[in-house]
Amino acid sequence: MRAFATLAGLALVGATIFTILSFSAAPAPEPTAYAARRETLQERLKRLPGDYRGWAQLASQYVDQARITGDPSYYAKAEDALATAAGLNDRDDAVLTGQAALAAGRHEFAEAARLAERAIDANPYGAAAYGVLADARIQLGDLRGAQSAVDRMMDLRPGVAAFSRASYAAELRGDRDGARRYLELAHDDAWLPADLAYARYYLGELALHSGDLKTATGWYAKALQAYPAYTPALAGQARAAALDGRLTEALDLYDQVVERLPLPQYLIEQGETRIKAGGRPDWTLLRAQRRLFQAAGVRDDLTWAEFEADHGDPAQAVRHARAEYARNPNLVAADALAWALFRAGRPGEALPYAKEATATGWRNPLLSYHRARIERALGRPARVDPGFDPALSALARFS
């Protein structure tokens, strides 16, 4: 979901070079000699090994790297850095926020919320903790609590991170215009290339999910102009091409995407596009990624519930979906459980979850399609959007 992706988008540049930067304002031009040599965070920690906030910052950057690269081994590095930080000061808000971010990265959202709340108790003015709390509460299905955390973050530090979360909260309420306005504010506030790319990418996603492929494609191109290494925007171009029927172009783009970042979402999208083009999908790398994430302690029943429902064993899909919904009863988990039950031949059990998934007014085409199919199976009148392509259902999911 989009709120969960916010941290990765915002920290892309800083996490790559691991330098000590100020996030309060755009830096002034530096003298050439200073710009050529800036102390890295690792160097600082060698010089000042008792800097627990530095260890917490390093851990947060490792969490971002796991999300950016798709390499879950960074979570173990983050855990080690946080163990050092907590050994020095386990009550510091930065340390607790880092622990919350790691828990969220591993999809332990209840633990992430608990740690974020502890960080806020330690420092009620730490905006970053409210951001992690908002993301965790959305995943736990607590939209009101998430909105409260977003509002507090907006009060403390209005900027790209806060505006992006406010946009997603608005979208989940069905307020697409409000979501767009907040993303435009994020775009206007951005100065780092990665932040610009992030805002432009999600403006493209809003357009894509409203059926405006031309506008979506334009935003993805602008995102790549701002930051050519921003892989989600390249995936957006592939998505738009596939939905527009340009399947050869889409597959060429997906080859580039998964070479850069073989996340399960992109691998499933690539596989579905191959099926649509008359080919056969190869799920080998997808299964390998599943094992890697499991070994790193990442619990992701949601992805496998969705995958098994569409491309595998519906009974396994139901098991995964029930496990995900029990831990994280959010809108997407409710939809996954509804669809898994439907695919398992149990539409009567599916309908309450489909209603729950669509109860907030979120105009997500996949959720609407699933509910319509379930209602039709029960003999109820329901409109299936003729523009929705069920063969490319993964492309309608948020990355």
Side-chain angles (χ1 to χ4, degrees):
M1 296 174 73
R2 171 142 60 100
F4 183 52
T6 301
L7 293 175
L10 301 178
L12 185 58
V13 176
T16 301
I17 59 177
F18 282 23
T19 54
I20 302 168
L21 300 173
S22 168
F23 295 94
S24 59
E30 299 172 323
T32 303
Y34 181 75
R37 186 67 179 92
R38 182 181 287 170
E39 183 181 39
T40 68
L41 185 52
Q42 290 96 327
E43 289 171 343
R44 174 181 173 83
L45 290 171
K46 286 181 180 179
R47 182 168 58 84
L48 299 170
D51 180 6
Y52 50 85
R53 282 182 164 251
W55 286 108
Q57 183 182 353
L58 180 63
S60 294
Q61 291 176 348
Y62 281 140
V63 171
D64 289 328
Q65 281 294 289
R67 294 170 181 161
I68 293 161
T69 65
D71 181 356
S73 67
Y74 280 104
Y75 290 132
K77 295 179 180 180
E79 188 172 15
D80 289 343
L82 284 167
T84 301
L88 294 165
N89 187 344
D90 63 357
R91 297 182 181 181
D92 179 74
D93 68 291
V95 176
L96 290 163
T97 301
Q99 291 173 327
L102 175 60
R106 286 174 160 167
H107 295 197
E108 298 168 356
F109 298 112
E111 178 68 0
R114 186 187 70 81
L115 289 165
E117 287 167 349
R118 282 189 61 196
I120 290 166
D121 288 341
N123 176 16
Y125 302 99
Y130 286 100
V132 179
L133 180 60
D135 296 344
R137 283 179 171 171
I138 283 177
Q139 296 289 345
L140 293 169
D142 180 10
L143 299 187
R144 183 174 299 177
Q147 184 65 62
S148 177
V150 169
D151 291 343
R152 184 59 177 149
M153 191 180 187
M154 290 278 284
D155 291 339
L156 290 169
R157 192 188 299 170
V160 177
F163 290 139
S164 299
R165 288 176 169 88
S167 169
Y168 191 50
E171 187 176 358
L172 292 177
R173 297 193 302 270
D175 183 4
R176 191 173 282 166
D177 290 339
R180 186 182 303 106
R181 286 194 299 272
Y182 279 120
L183 278 179
E184 288 167 350
L185 288 171
H187 183 269
D188 291 345
D189 189 72
W191 56 272
L192 285 174
D195 286 357
L196 281 167
Y198 176 87
R200 292 172 181 179
Y201 166 70
Y202 276 110
L203 283 163
E205 288 289 272
L206 280 177
L208 184 82
H209 288 275
S210 66
D212 188 349
L213 298 181
K214 181 178 179 180
T215 298
T217 300
W219 278 119
Y220 299 142
K222 290 177 182 178
L224 290 169
Q225 288 172 3
Y227 197 79
Y230 193 68
T231 304
L234 187 65
Q237 289 185 325
R239 212 170 285 139
L243 292 171
D244 197 36
R246 294 177 279 120
L247 299 178
T248 300
E249 178 185 347
L251 287 171
D252 288 343
L253 289 167
Y254 274 122
D255 285 343
Q256 298 176 53
V257 168
V258 300
E259 184 176 354
R260 288 188 188 183
L261 188 59
L263 292 178
Q265 168 74 17
Y266 299 152
L267 292 167
I268 295 171
E269 290 180 21
Q270 180 188 48
E272 289 189 351
T273 305
R274 283 178 178 165
I275 294 171
K276 183 72 175 179
R280 296 185 64 181
D282 182 356
W283 305 121
T284 305
L285 183 54
L286 175 67
R287 294 190 175 98
Q289 284 291 81
R290 179 181 184 177
R291 291 191 293 271
L292 285 173
F293 278 91
Q294 286 175 331
V298 179
R299 301 182 68 179
D300 187 11
D301 283 294
L302 178 63
T303 295
W304 309 115
E306 294 169 337
F307 174 75
E308 293 291 348
D310 286 331
H311 304 290
D313 181 352
Q316 287 193 35
V318 171
R319 287 194 291 272
H320 282 297
R322 286 200 186 282
E324 182 69 27
Y325 185 81
R327 292 196 313 275
N328 307 310
N330 56 59
L331 303 180
V332 178
D335 170 71
L337 181 51
W339 189 240
L341 287 166
F342 170 77
R343 296 286 287 177
R346 296 149 66 181
E349 294 178 58
L351 185 57
Y353 296 105
K355 288 181 175 180
E356 180 181 342
T358 54
T360 68
W362 184 19
R363 290 184 282 176
N364 183 303
L366 182 63
L367 273 59
S368 299
Y369 171 77
H370 285 169
R371 178 170 174 174
R373 285 288 308 276
I374 291 166
E375 289 185 325
R376 281 191 171 187
L378 294 170
R380 302 184 181 189
R383 179 182 178 274
V384 174
D385 183 356
F388 183 83
D389 188 348
L392 298 173
S393 58
L395 280 64
R397 296 190 176 102
F398 280 2
S399 60

